[in-house]
Amino acid sequence: MDVVSQFLSNTPLWVYILFFYLLSRGIKGFKPATVSLTKLAVIPVLLTGWSLIELIRLYGLKLETSLIWIAGIGVGVGIGILLLRRAAIFADPSTGLIHRPADYTLLPLVLITFAIKYTFGVIAAVSPEHMLEPAFRFSDLVLPGTASGIFVGKFTVYLQRWMAVRKTSLP
């Protein structure tokens, strides 16, 4: 138990704030809602930004590591689109809002994504030598990239629905 308390006490405050924010968004996802595109973009931007910052901090912007991360994003985008492609999402151009159904994937996905990033962060802090192992590096690039990509893919569906309605409502 001492190890767990060490991890928790050495975790920066912003990580706790992010965790509780993501947890609250995931729980709110269980109910249908009418929201703005901006609000729907927050989680993809936060998680992709966090992933990109860690990529740069840990590995630098090297072509090899960037391509692996981008490939993970691409896979995730495909998964995200598949998750929402048949969802009943309606955009209202008069209000600028989107009605989305309950999203039962949001909470598990934010928790899994957070766990991936937190776990790799702890490993990097405790055993930096793992950063040199090819399997670790690959996993640390692909998994967060894929997780972020899922949220980007889901947002892409919202944006596509919004653009389709907006295009048909223009004079």
Side-chain angles (χ1 to χ4, degrees), residues 78-169:
I79 294 168
I81 289 171
L82 286 173
L83 287 171
L84 287 185
R85 75 177 192 278
R86 297 184 198 267
I89 299 167
F90 304 103
D92 182 352
S94 67
T95 63
L97 300 175
I98 292 181
H99 176 75
R100 62 149 186 85
D103 184 352
Y104 298 106
T105 65
L106 185 58
L107 181 60
L109 286 171
V110 295
L111 292 176
I112 289 167
T113 303
F114 185 88
I116 288 168
K117 291 302 302 164
Y118 187 81
T119 300
F120 278 109
V122 168
I123 292 169
V126 173
S127 302
E129 66 275 5
H130 279 68
M131 308 305 284
L132 303 173
E133 296 176 18
F136 179 85
R137 179 181 291 231
F138 183 81
S139 298
D140 190 26
L141 293 167
V142 168
L143 293 175
T146 302
S148 297
I150 291 171
F151 294 102
V152 171
K154 290 171 80 171
F155 180 75
T156 300
V157 173
Y158 293 124
L159 186 59
Q160 287 172 338
R161 303 284 170 84
W162 170 250
M163 295 304 289
V165 168
R166 191 173 145 94
K167 193 182 290 185
T168 60
S169 68

Side-chain angles (χ1 to χ4, degrees), residues 21 25 28 33-44 155:
Y21 174 76
R25 300 305 325 154
K28 286 182 181 182
T34 302
V35 295
S36 68
L37 270 176
T38 304
K39 198 167 193 175
L40 290 169
V42 171
I43 289 179
F155 180 75

